[in-house]
Every structure is written in structure tokens, then in C-alpha cells.
Amino acid sequence: MLDILKSEKFRRNAVIIARILLGCVFIFSGFAKAVDPLGGTYKIEDYLTSFGMDFFVPIAFVGSIALSTLEFLLGICLIVGANMKSTSILTLLFMGVMTPLTLYIAIFNPVTDCGCFGDALKISNWATFWKNIVFSALALIVFFWRKYSPSLFSQKTDWTIAIYSGIFAIAVSLYCWIHLPILDFRPYKNGTNIIESMEVPEDAPKDVYETTLIYEKDGVQKKFTLENYPKDDSTWHHIETISEIVEKGYEPPIHDLTMDHPDDGDIIEDVLNEPGYTFWLVSSRVEKAYTYNRKAINAVYDYAKEHGYGFYGMTATGLESQEMKEYIREACAEYPFVNTDEITLKTIVRSNPGLVLIKGGVVVNKWSNKDIPTFDKPLEESELGTIQAPDKQKAILLSIIAFIVPLALIFLLDKILIKFFKKGDDNK
């Protein structure tokens, strides 16, 4: 067995397999975060808040892009075997930070979702930790046996690939921030029937709770269950009842959507059951909303009134707050506002503000604040009124082509230059 471990062939194959496995995971994780930079920002903010490090929140957006870029860059370098010394060290350092961090998260559960794959794939905190244990072992293999790892490119081209990969990841993040994520993994993507997504099947499993009853007798407190508590013994005095969930039941994809109107209460059912079109202007916090394009928003509201469509501003900012009054005055906002949970609003659309069009409870389309279109005819006669369902396969294919084509050109240029310089050396 030791002879096999010491053999060059075994180590070369082991490091190649470890590189490919790690590289694929890093690319997937980095790209999933890159297409949703605001989602990564919100997750980092959750981490910082739970760790009492709120003073770093202002740079969470930069941290989100930096994290996705680093993962994507490392993934590409691992796959092609570029800069293996630097890549193996950075990979090992990355896992050396993330593994203890995910252990802490698994034990103390400060956040329910680690966010390691964005919204593309969600796994439990303990599953995340054990995944990182495996990846740490692979990182060690790559680090210690990196000299057995063949490189496809020259050293200069290795750095070109690393820089190009980083620029590509940053460009994807900025594009998806300016517009909207090119891949939408959230429960409010276009084409979603919100009403159906809120339903709970009759046979769906329910939450299972464990109840502990605390009673006191002669100054001594004791814990009981629902089966053995002293219900007929008056010498025991009830102190406290504690219910803890031990098994999570079924939770629908959309379970926390409300529209709290100041006069009519929660109007979400009425809005979703409206057969016509309704616009939602979504702003998680109006005091943090971008001021760009307010005239376009007001134009959409005037258009909605003219054609009999609904229009609501949705925000988590208090409707009677000073911030709300200032927003209404500065934006010349005449449309009605309702209150909705902040996390829900951030999930609906990754823009503050963002515009959402629904019809009969179905999400028809979404636009970022910078892409609000001009509506010039009734929605019933316009493409803007038809469901713009996202084509994930097309988005992924175009992203691969956009990355691979320049990379292939770099590869060809590298081979041509090597051949050219080699020929020049031979002629001397």
C-alpha cells in the first residue's frame, strides 16, 4: 500500500482528480454567487450581524464580489493546472478559513443557510461542514503533490488566465447587479404562480415539537414531558412551558408574503386573485433606494392608472416614518404603499427599487431600477405583458461560450508563441 502511495503515477492521478473535483465545485460556487451579487451581499450582512461585526456591513457588497471572484478564479486555475504553487496555497488557505467557520455555524446555527452555493443549491449547515472536510482533504492532496500536476500552459499564460478569469467573474457580477441575475433560482422567478407556491398540501408533513414542562415543588424545579407531568398533584406549581421544534415539516416555497395596507389590512389575497395586471414597485428600504429613474417609475404609475392596472409600492419602511414621507415628497410618489417583510422584498427582486408585473397571481416580468421600460400600448397587446420565462440553459450556454472562446484564443496564442520562440532558438 505504501509503495502505491509513493508511486509517481498514483500521485499524478490523485492530484489530477483532486484538482478537477475541487475546480468544478469552486467554479459552480463562484459562478452561482457571481450571478447574484446582491444575494451574496445580504448573506454576508447576515454573517456580520450575527457575529456582532456590523461596522463591516458597508463593504459587504465588495466582499460578495471578491468572494465569488476568488472562488471562480481558483476553480479555473485548478482545472487547467495554472500557477499550481500559488493556486494550491490559496486553495488550502481558503479551506483553512471556511472549514472552521462552517463548523462554528453548524454548532451554533447563527444563520440557517450558509449560502455557499448562493440560491442555486441549499444544504444544511452540518452537510456544509462535512463537505468542507472532504474538500480540505482534496486541497491537501493538491498542495503536497502539486509538483506531479501537469500544466497546460506556459507560466506567463498561467497568469493571463488567472487575470482573465477574475475579470470575467467581476464583469458577470457587475452586469447582474446593474440589471438582474441572468439565472434566477429564487421562488419569485418569472412564470411562478405565487398562489400555488403558497399552498400547503393536505398530506404534507407538519412541524414536530418537543414540549418540556417545568414545575416547582418545595423550592426545587423539575422538568416533565406531556406524558408524565404532575397534572393531578396540586403540590407542584407550573413555572414554564418550553416548546422546541425537533422536526421541520413542509414549508411552501413562498410562505411569508403579505401586503399590509394601512386601511385595509393584509390585501395579498385580493391582489393575487385579481385577474388583470398589477405592478409592484419593490423597495426593501426606501431610504436606501436608488433615486435614478424616478420619472420612469411615475410614468409607469400614470400608465397603469390610464389602463386600469393595479399599482402598489411595497416596502419594509414604516409608512408613517419620516423616511417614508421624505421619499414620497422627493419622488413625487402618488401611488399607494403597503408594508411587506424586508427579506421577502429582497427575495422578490434584486433591485432597490425594482418593478414587478404580475397577472392572476403569476409573475410575468421583472425589471431592475435601471431597466424600467417605456409602456406605450396596453399590456394585452404588448410583449411586455407576456411571461418572460428565464431560459437557464441558454444563459448557461452563453456564459460558457463567453468565457471559453477568449480562453481558447489564449490557449492557441500560447502554443503559437511557444512554437515561434522555440523555432527561433533552434535557428540560432
Side-chain angles (χ1 to χ4, degrees):
M1 183 66 179
L2 289 177
D3 291 338
I4 295 176
L5 291 175
K6 291 180 180 180
S7 69
E8 182 175 335
K9 182 179 179 181
F10 175 83
R11 294 186 177 187
R12 184 172 61 252
N13 291 336
V15 76
I16 290 174
I17 293 172
R19 272 177 37 203
I20 293 174
L21 290 175
L22 276 175
C24 290
V25 172
F26 272 88
I27 291 171
F28 174 69
S29 178
F31 189 76
K33 293 186 181 75
V35 298
D36 188 11
L38 284 180
T41 301
Y42 301 147
K43 181 55 62 176
I44 291 176
E45 288 176 351
D46 289 343
Y47 276 116
L48 293 174
T49 300
S50 64
F51 294 151
M53 303 171 68
D54 302 69
F55 47 87
F56 282 126
V57 166
I59 62 172
F61 178 71
V62 176
S64 173
I65 294 181
L67 179 61
S68 62
T69 300
L70 176 61
E71 287 189 272
F72 186 81
L73 184 156
L74 287 176
I76 295 297
C77 288
L78 284 166
I79 289 290
V80 302
N83 299 298
M84 281 313 300
K85 181 178 180 180
S86 300
T87 298
S88 63
I89 292 173
L90 285 174
T91 301
L92 191 61
L93 287 174
F94 185 84
M95 296 311 305
V97 172
M98 298 307 295
T99 303
L101 177 62
T102 52
L103 175 60
Y104 175 88
I105 293 170
I107 294 173
F108 297 102
N109 202 38
V111 293
T112 56
D113 172 33
C114 71
C116 53
F117 297 116
D119 285 317
L121 177 63
K122 295 188 177 183
I123 58 178
S124 69
N125 289 340
W126 275 111
T128 301
F129 168 69
W130 292 117
K131 174 209 68 167
N132 284 344
I133 289 292
V134 174
F135 292 161
S136 294
L138 295 176
L140 286 170
I141 292 174
V142 173
F143 177 75
F144 286 112
W145 292 348
R146 62 181 182 271
K147 68 178 182 180
Y148 300 100
S149 178
S151 177
L152 300 177
F153 303 96
S154 65
Q155 187 174 8
K156 289 183 179 179
T157 304
D158 280 351
W159 286 107
T160 303
I161 292 172
I163 294 171
Y164 166 68
S165 300
I167 292 174
F168 178 83
I170 293 173
V172 170
S173 291
L174 292 179
Y175 179 87
C176 294
W177 170 61
I178 293 172
H179 304 285
L180 288 177
I182 57 176
L183 293 171
D184 194 347
F185 301 105
R186 289 158 293 139
Y188 294 92
K189 56 183 174 290
N190 294 355
T192 297
N193 188 314
I194 298 177
I195 298 174
E196 293 179 358
S197 296
M198 295 174 69
E199 294 177 349
V200 178
E202 293 184 3
D203 58 347
K206 310 295 184 183
D207 290 344
V208 177
Y209 290 88
E210 182 177 79
T211 302
T212 300
L213 303 172
I214 301 178
Y215 279 77
E216 184 180 77
K217 180 179 180 180
D218 299 330
V220 178
Q221 293 186 359
K222 186 177 179 181
K223 295 181 180 180
F224 296 90
T225 66
L226 289 173
E227 287 73 31
N228 66 358
Y229 75 98
K231 59 181 178 180
D232 298 323
D233 190 343
S234 60
T235 60
W236 286 93
H237 303 286
H238 178 259
I239 302 297
E240 186 181 6
T241 298
I242 302 174
S243 293
E244 296 180 344
I245 188 168
V246 294
E247 185 177 333
K248 187 70 177 175
Y250 175 81
E251 186 176 76
I254 298 176
H255 54 275
D256 49 9
L257 179 61
T258 59
M259 295 178 67
D260 295 321
H261 191 278
D263 298 322
D264 302 325
D266 186 7
I267 61 172
I268 187 60
E269 288 190 13
D270 294 335
V271 173
L272 293 179
N273 287 303
E274 169 60 44
Y277 291 98
T278 301
F279 287 98
W280 289 351
L281 179 70
V282 177
S283 178
S284 55
R285 288 284 176 182
V286 297
E287 61 270 26
K288 297 181 180 179
Y290 292 104
T291 59
Y292 174 80
N293 237 3
R294 285 179 173 175
K295 289 184 179 180
I297 292 171
N298 291 336
V300 175
Y301 174 59
D302 293 337
Y303 164 84
K305 285 198 304 180
E306 179 183 351
H307 292 84
Y309 306 137
F311 193 107
Y312 294 94
M314 301 171 67
T315 182
T317 302
L319 300 184
E320 299 298 326
S321 66
Q322 187 62 33
E323 292 84 358
M324 191 77 245
K325 294 176 182 178
E326 290 180 3
Y327 175 88
I328 292 174
R329 175 176 54 81
E330 294 176 2
C332 300
E334 299 179 358
Y335 39 87
F337 274 91
V338 295
N339 271 144
T340 300
D341 176 71
E342 183 174 354
I343 295 177
T344 299
L345 294 174
K346 290 178 177 179
T347 304
I348 292 174
V349 61
R350 297 295 203 217
S351 180
N352 184 16
L355 188 66
V356 180
L357 178 64
I358 67 169
K359 181 182 182 183
V362 176
V363 179
V364 175
N365 211 341
K366 296 191 286 188
W367 299 274
S368 74
N369 180 51
K370 302 172 184 64
D371 295 326
I372 294 176
T374 299
F375 296 89
D376 53 8
K377 57 183 177 181
L379 289 170
E380 292 81 0
E381 304 171 7
S382 171
E383 287 187 3
L384 296 174
T386 60
I387 297 175
Q388 304 297 312
D391 190 336
K392 290 184 179 180
Q393 289 77 16
K394 182 179 179 180
I396 293 173
L397 180 61
L398 290 176
S399 299
I400 292 174
I401 292 173
F403 180 77
I404 291 295
V405 170
L407 190 65
L409 292 176
I410 292 173
F411 178 81
L412 291 175
L413 182 61
D414 177 70
K415 296 302 179 185
I416 292 172
L417 289 176
I418 290 176
K419 186 176 181 180
F420 175 79
F421 286 119
K422 184 177 180 181
K423 183 177 180 181
D425 291 339
D426 293 341
N427 292 331
K428 287 182 180 180

